[in-house]
Amino acid sequence: MRYLSHLPLDLTPLTDAVSAPDRGAIATFAGMVRNHHAGREVVALSYSAYEPMAEAVCESIVRETAAAFNVQVAMVHRLGEVPIGEAAVLVVASAAHRGAAFDAVRHAIDEVKSRVPIWKRERYADGSEAWVDPTAPAGVMPVQGEK
């Protein structure tokens, strides 16, 4: 399964991939591109990655989550320019009961955000741009040396 896509994301293939007669719960998470960050108006956003490494880390997260919560997991992350209001990441988990499915989805998206080498670059209404970096004091790092 590919975990990265340059195309708009679709939830249906993911739910189809995890559905089974013995699974009574499917939980989903959709990370949507919002029009603001840290008090600034965001007008555009793009994601980039070292794709072979990002694919491998996503595969590890899916396997680890499935084993830890006894669930089936599917996910996909968008790369490239993603319009405001569109999905940037989708995570789906199915289980016999809802508790495991909800816990698995939360675990998987938290791991994606902390481990997968995907970088987010925002462009603001004032024309400036920055890399989003949750570890930076302002939450972003200004883009250096580019116009």
Side-chain angles (χ1 to χ4, degrees):
M1 174 176 204
R2 294 240 343 134
Y3 299 103
L4 304 174
S5 174
H6 292 269
L7 301 173
L9 303 183
D10 182 1
L11 190 59
T12 301
L14 299 179
T15 56
D16 289 348
V18 301
S19 295
D22 63 335
R23 297 191 183 101
I26 295 178
T28 65
F29 172 81
M32 311 300 288
V33 175
R34 63 179 179 263
N35 67 356
H36 62 93
H37 179 233
R40 301 179 74 184
E41 182 182 355
V42 175
V43 296
L45 185 147
S46 65
Y47 292 94
S48 58
Y50 174 55
E51 294 186 36
M53 182 183 287
E55 289 278 357
V57 174
C58 287
E59 175 65 30
S60 293
I61 292 169
V62 165
R63 277 191 266 118
E64 292 164 11
T65 304
F69 296 92
N70 193 25
V71 296
Q72 285 290 118
V73 180
M75 66 176 153
V76 63
H77 200 296
R78 182 105 176 250
L79 296 178
E81 185 109 358
V82 183
I84 304 296
E86 287 195 13
V89 59
L90 300 173
V91 179
V92 178
S94 67
H97 302 284
R98 68 183 178 275
F102 282 130
D103 292 344
V105 165
R106 181 176 190 105
H107 173 81
I109 188 60
D110 287 347
E111 292 299 307
V112 166
K113 302 277 284 179
S114 68
R115 293 171 45 194
V116 179
I118 294 176
W119 299 278
K120 180 167 48 174
R121 183 173 173 159
E122 294 177 331
R123 188 172 61 234
Y124 304 103
D126 66 5
S128 65
E129 296 185 19
W131 292 102
V132 175
D133 179 358
T135 65
V140 296
M141 296 292 293
V143 174
Q144 303 285 325
E146 293 183 30
K147 189 156 176 114

